[in-house]
């Protein structure tokens, strides 16, 4: 695999997404949803596992590329010896069928172009049957069919289980390719004019970006991250996936490869803060409503993540025919962490509903009774160990962050009842729970000799998640224990100017071999904590260095390796872009906290 993770750009239609490399190759695409099987899986294997390359003959990386304005329409430019050409890649926000459109436009001179498409359904394992029909190439395998056409038509032929074409474009000439997926038992999908679709897509995205009410510093970076978060939203339900990819490694060549094509409750408060602060009330309400539907039911069955529509069963399996990005195996689909006990999610859910309520989102009639049910269950469980925010696959521990979020759950219930005494609920009971959790965390989760909160009770290890203590209001930012924790985490977990989430050297708490890079959202949390503890200059300097890690089109993965100077993990990562938006708003004085 020659493309780095950050060599890819994202296009999408609010139901799925594709990754386009600097070499003009689409190496990842799941159809028809984010969590469907991939039909282009070269990202996790090789060209034989499916890709679609469209570039000047001879193949090389583009000279430059960028999104067109505030959109998700990608424009890649190649300057060659004979002329200049650009390829415009996008996915229209779909009416019915998902489509990828690639428009080749001659800029100057003339350029010979080549295209190769290898469709491989079921994550690169199934070769479809190809045929011609009414000017299109049609690929069929079981339930899937893909139609490929060009306007004007260009010659195509089959070679080595792929479809190939070559043509020449001169200045002002355009050739458009349209790839359409639909169920194989259905009639041919209707044709859409790619040039009309391009104009509409640009209009749609620019109109959406214009709704952003943030006008502070780094506005362009904030909008690009918000567009990325919008692109990771599953439009029909409002759920936001953690990333559109699976198994991009946290440790190249290692086993830390997970499927992130699902919706995590850990992101919920940050999502609401970012959307509400930027003025996207409709999207915030859709996310709140997705959250409410997903967590409905027996509070004992609350999960840490759900499918795009709130699905609960996400069984983990391995795909042995894919060798993994940079040899990082196994490649996984599904995620067994769905079955873990993570007590912090109760606090995150309660905090999310509190944020929504204080922001004035219209209340749902059954939301409060559901919250009381969740809190009642947490009251009987918060003293137990759990797997914690980071989904460790080692033994359960009494993680400090989990206990702090149990405090948050009780605190938000108290706040709600104090604000609206007409609501049912025993405020005295929740105050008592809040006080008990607070007292225990300060006694058992704090190391007075080192003046820092630790990762878990009785442990000497630290955890970047404790940086959230002042943000959620557990202690004020000027408390000496908060300042000591920020300093200790910064010193002990710092690496190359950024922050690890915890220590992976020696006997690791997560029960996995190998290490990982610095965790980008944790570095944003550090900037927030530095600002809250009065060190705004240091916070701003760290934020600038984090901004510099974005690739040429403004995207961030989950992690960054400051030694190899490359991005790691699933990509683009919602958590990282949420961190960027919230930190920008915090430094500008427009964010929310506690």
């Amino acid at each position: 695999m020659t493309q780095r993770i950050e060599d890819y750009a994202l296009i999408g239609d609010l139901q799925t997404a594709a990754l386009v490399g600097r070499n003009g190759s689409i190496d990842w695409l799941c159809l028809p949803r984010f969590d469907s099987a991939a039909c282009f899986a070269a990202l996790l294997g090789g060209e034989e596992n499916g890709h679609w390359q469209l570039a000047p003959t001879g193949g090389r990386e583009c000279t430059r590329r960028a999104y067109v304005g505030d959109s998700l329409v990608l424009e890649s430019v190649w300057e060659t010896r004979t002329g200049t050409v650009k390829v415009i890649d996008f996915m229209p926000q779909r009416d019915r069928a998902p489509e990828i459109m690639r428009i080749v436009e001659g800029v100057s001179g003339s350029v010979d172009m080549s295209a190769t498409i290898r469709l491989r359904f079921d994550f690169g394992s199934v070769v479809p049957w190809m045929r011609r029909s009414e000017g299109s190439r049609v690929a069929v395998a079981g339930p899937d069919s893909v139609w490929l056409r060009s306007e004007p038509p260009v010659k195509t032929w089959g070679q080595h289980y792929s479809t190939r074409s070559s043509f020449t474009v001169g200045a002002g000439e355009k050739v458009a390719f349209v790839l359409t997926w639909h169920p194989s038992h259905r009639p041919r999908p209707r044709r859409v004019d790619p040039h009309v679709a391009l104009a509409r897509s640009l209009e749609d995205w620019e109109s959406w970006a214009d709704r952003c009410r943030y006008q502070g510093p780094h506005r362009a970076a904030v909008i690009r991250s918000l567009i990325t978060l919008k692109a990771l939203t599953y439009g029909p339900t409002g759920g936001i996936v953690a990333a559109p990819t699976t198994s991009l490694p946290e440790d190249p060549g290692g086993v830390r490869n997970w499927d992130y094509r699902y919706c995590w409750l850990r992101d919920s408060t940050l999502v609401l803060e970012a959307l509400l602060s930027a003025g996207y009330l409709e999207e915030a309400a859709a996310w709140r409503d997705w959250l409410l539907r997903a967590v409905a039911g027996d509070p004992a069955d609350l999960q840490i993540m759900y499918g795009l529509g709130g699905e609960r069963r996400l069984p983990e399996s391995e795909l042995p025919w894919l060798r993994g990005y940079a040899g990082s195996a196994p490649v996984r689909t599904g995620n067994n962490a769905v079955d873990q006990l993570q007590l912090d999610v109760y606090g995150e859910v309660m905090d999310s509903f509190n944020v929504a309520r204080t922001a004035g989102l219209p209340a749902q009639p059954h939301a409060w009774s559901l919250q009381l049910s969740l809190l009642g269950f947490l009251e009987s469980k918060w003293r137990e160990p759990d797997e914690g925010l980071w989904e460790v696959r080692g033994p359960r521990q009494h993680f400090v962050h989990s206990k702090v979020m149990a405090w948050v759950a009780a605190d938000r219930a108290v706040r709600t009842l104090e604000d609206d005494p007409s609501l049912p609920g025993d405020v005295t009971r929740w105050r008592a729970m809040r006080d008990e959790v607070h007292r225990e965390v300060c006694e058992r989760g704090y190391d007075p000799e080192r003046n820092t909160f630790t990762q878990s009770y009785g442990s000497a290890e630290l955890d970047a998640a404790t940086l959230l203590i002042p943000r959620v209001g557990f202690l004020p930012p000027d408390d000496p224990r908060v300042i000591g924790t920020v300093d200790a985490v910064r010193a002990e977990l710092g690496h190359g100017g950024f922050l690890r989430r915890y220590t992976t050297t020696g006997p690791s708490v997560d029960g996995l071999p190998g290490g990982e890079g610095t965790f980008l959202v944790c570095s944003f949390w550090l900037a927030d904590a530095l600002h809250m503890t009065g060190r705004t200059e240091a916070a701003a300097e760290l934020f600038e260095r984090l901004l510099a890690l974005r690739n040429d089109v403004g995207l961030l993965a989950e992690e960054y390796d400051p030694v190899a100077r490359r991005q790691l993990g699933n990509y683009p990562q919602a958590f990282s872009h949420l961190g960027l938006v919230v930190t920008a708003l915090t430094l500008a004085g427009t964010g929310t906290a506690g």
Side-chain angles (χ1 to χ4, degrees), residues 374-494:
L374 292 172
L375 191 57
F377 177 78
L378 180 63
E379 184 183 28
S380 66
K381 297 290 286 188
W382 72 265
R383 298 174 185 82
E384 297 184 12
D386 72 339
E387 278 91 359
L389 170 71
W390 304 125
E391 299 167 10
V392 300
R393 300 207 173 192
R396 289 181 177 178
Q397 315 247 4
H398 289 282
F399 287 105
V400 169
H401 173 262
S402 295
K403 309 299 186 185
V404 168
M405 294 309 294
W407 176 90
V408 167
D411 176 74
R412 298 328 187 239
V414 169
R415 293 190 192 189
T416 301
L417 289 168
E418 288 176 342
D419 289 345
D420 188 355
S422 68
L423 289 173
D426 187 344
V427 69
T428 303
R429 174 182 172 187
W430 305 131
R431 283 198 191 105
M433 175 184 167
R434 181 180 65 177
D435 293 345
E436 183 181 358
V437 176
H438 197 281
R439 182 168 54 252
E440 180 178 294
V441 170
C442 291
E443 290 176 355
R444 301 183 62 189
Y446 173 71
D447 183 343
E449 293 185 6
R450 296 158 66 202
N451 188 28
T452 182
F453 285 94
T454 58
Q455 183 175 55
S456 59
Y457 291 173
S459 171
E461 298 294 331
L462 301 184
D463 191 323
T466 57
L467 294 173
L468 298 173
I469 284 174
R471 184 168 191 87
V472 301
F474 184 83
L475 287 172
D478 60 356
D479 190 292
R481 292 167 292 183
V482 169
I483 296 171
T485 298
V486 174
D487 291 341
V489 167
R490 188 182 185 190
E492 295 189 26
L493 297 182

Side-chain angles (χ1 to χ4, degrees), residues 250 464 487-505 515-520 522-523 526 542 545-546 549 559-566 568:
E250 300 168 9
D487 291 341
V489 167
R490 188 182 185 190
E492 295 189 26
L493 297 182
H495 178 49
F498 304 105
L499 206 64
R500 296 186 177 97
R501 50 183 175 168
Y502 52 80
T503 301
T504 56
T505 56
E516 61 181 22
T518 57
F519 213 76
L520 292 177
C522 295
S523 300
L526 176 58
L542 174 57
R545 285 191 285 110
L546 284 163
L549 300 184
E559 301 182 6
Y560 179 74
D561 182 343
V563 176
R565 297 185 178 182
R566 61 179 299 182
L568 298 173

Side-chain angles (χ1 to χ4, degrees), residues 222-541:
V222 168
I223 288 181
R224 177 50 53 193
S225 286
L226 288 169
I227 289 172
T228 303
L229 293 170
K230 179 68 171 176
L232 299 180
T233 302
Y234 184 64
T237 66
I240 299 176
V241 297
T245 58
T246 178
S247 301
L248 287 178
E250 300 168 9
D251 179 23
V255 300
R256 295 171 180 263
N257 319 312
W258 316 109
D259 193 348
Y260 275 21
R261 299 172 301 147
Y262 308 112
C263 307
W264 265 257
L265 299 191
R266 70 184 183 196
D267 302 352
S268 57
T269 302
L270 281 178
V271 168
L272 281 170
E273 284 188 7
L275 293 175
L276 290 168
S277 296
Y280 290 103
L281 302 186
E282 181 180 332
E283 287 76 9
W287 170 253
R288 188 275 315 270
D289 292 346
W290 175 89
L291 185 66
L292 190 59
R293 293 191 303 269
V295 304
D298 188 337
D301 297 331
L302 184 69
Q303 297 182 176
I304 65 166
M305 71 180 85
Y306 295 86
L308 306 177
E311 297 89 348
R312 291 173 173 266
R313 295 186 66 244
L314 309 174
E316 187 174 302
S317 60
E318 298 180 3
L319 309 180
W321 61 88
L322 292 174
R323 59 180 177 267
Y325 179 90
S328 306
V331 171
R332 296 181 173 95
T333 63
N335 200 312
N336 282 344
V338 72
D339 297 322
Q340 290 186 349
L341 174 65
Q342 294 183 24
L343 295 173
D344 63 288
V345 299
Y346 292 86
E348 284 143 6
V349 169
M350 292 291 293
D351 197 25
S352 296
F353 287 121
N354 182 71
V355 168
R357 178 183 60 83
T358 56
L361 290 184
Q364 296 288 10
H366 60 293
W368 178 242
S369 60
L370 175 61
Q371 292 175 72
L372 287 180
S373 180
L374 292 172
L375 191 57
F377 177 78
L378 180 63
E379 184 183 28
S380 66
K381 297 290 286 188
W382 72 265
R383 298 174 185 82
E384 297 184 12
D386 72 339
E387 278 91 359
L389 170 71
W390 304 125
E391 299 167 10
V392 300
R393 300 207 173 192
R396 289 181 177 178
Q397 315 247 4
H398 289 282
F399 287 105
V400 169
H401 173 262
S402 295
K403 309 299 186 185
V404 168
M405 294 309 294
W407 176 90
V408 167
D411 176 74
R412 298 328 187 239
V414 169
R415 293 190 192 189
T416 301
L417 289 168
E418 288 176 342
D419 289 345
D420 188 355
S422 68
L423 289 173
D426 187 344
V427 69
T428 303
R429 174 182 172 187
W430 305 131
R431 283 198 191 105
M433 175 184 167
R434 181 180 65 177
D435 293 345
E436 183 181 358
V437 176
H438 197 281
R439 182 168 54 252
E440 180 178 294
V441 170
C442 291
E443 290 176 355
R444 301 183 62 189
Y446 173 71
D447 183 343
E449 293 185 6
R450 296 158 66 202
N451 188 28
T452 182
F453 285 94
T454 58
Q455 183 175 55
S456 59
Y457 291 173
S459 171
E461 298 294 331
L462 301 184
D463 191 323
T466 57
L467 294 173
L468 298 173
I469 284 174
R471 184 168 191 87
V472 301
F474 184 83
L475 287 172
D478 60 356
D479 190 292
R481 292 167 292 183
V482 169
I483 296 171
T485 298
V486 174
D487 291 341
V489 167
R490 188 182 185 190
E492 295 189 26
L493 297 182
H495 178 49
F498 304 105
L499 206 64
R500 296 186 177 97
R501 50 183 175 168
Y502 52 80
T503 301
T504 56
T505 56
S508 176
V509 68
D510 61 23
L512 297 167
E516 61 181 22
T518 57
F519 213 76
L520 292 177
V521 75
C522 295
S523 300
F524 285 114
W525 291 347
L526 176 58
D528 297 340
L530 288 170
H531 171 69
M532 293 182 74
T533 54
R535 290 167 282 186
T536 298
E537 185 176 342
E541 189 272 335

Side-chain angles (χ1 to χ4, degrees), residues 124-186:
S125 67
V126 176
V127 179
W129 180 261
M130 300 291 296
R131 61 182 172 86
R132 293 181 185 270
S133 176
E134 302 177 42
S136 296
R137 285 269 185 169
V138 186
V140 177
D144 299 295
S145 72
V146 166
W147 294 64
L148 175 69
R149 73 178 197 274
S150 62
E151 299 180 4
V154 299
K155 181 182 178 181
T156 63
W157 66 94
Q159 183 177 339
H160 301 308
Y161 296 100
S162 67
T163 298
R164 304 196 176 212
S165 60
S166 63
F167 55 97
T168 301
V169 290
E173 296 179 339
K174 297 180 181 180
V175 176
F177 291 86
V178 179
L179 181 149
T180 306
W181 178 95
H182 76 133
S184 60
H185 67 279
R186 299 287 300 276

Side-chain angles (χ1 to χ4, degrees), residues 26-44:
I26 298 178
D27 289 343
W28 183 254
L29 173 64
C30 299
L31 290 172
R33 306 190 342 167
F34 289 107
D35 57 353
S36 299
C39 63
F40 296 145
L43 180 70
L44 300 179

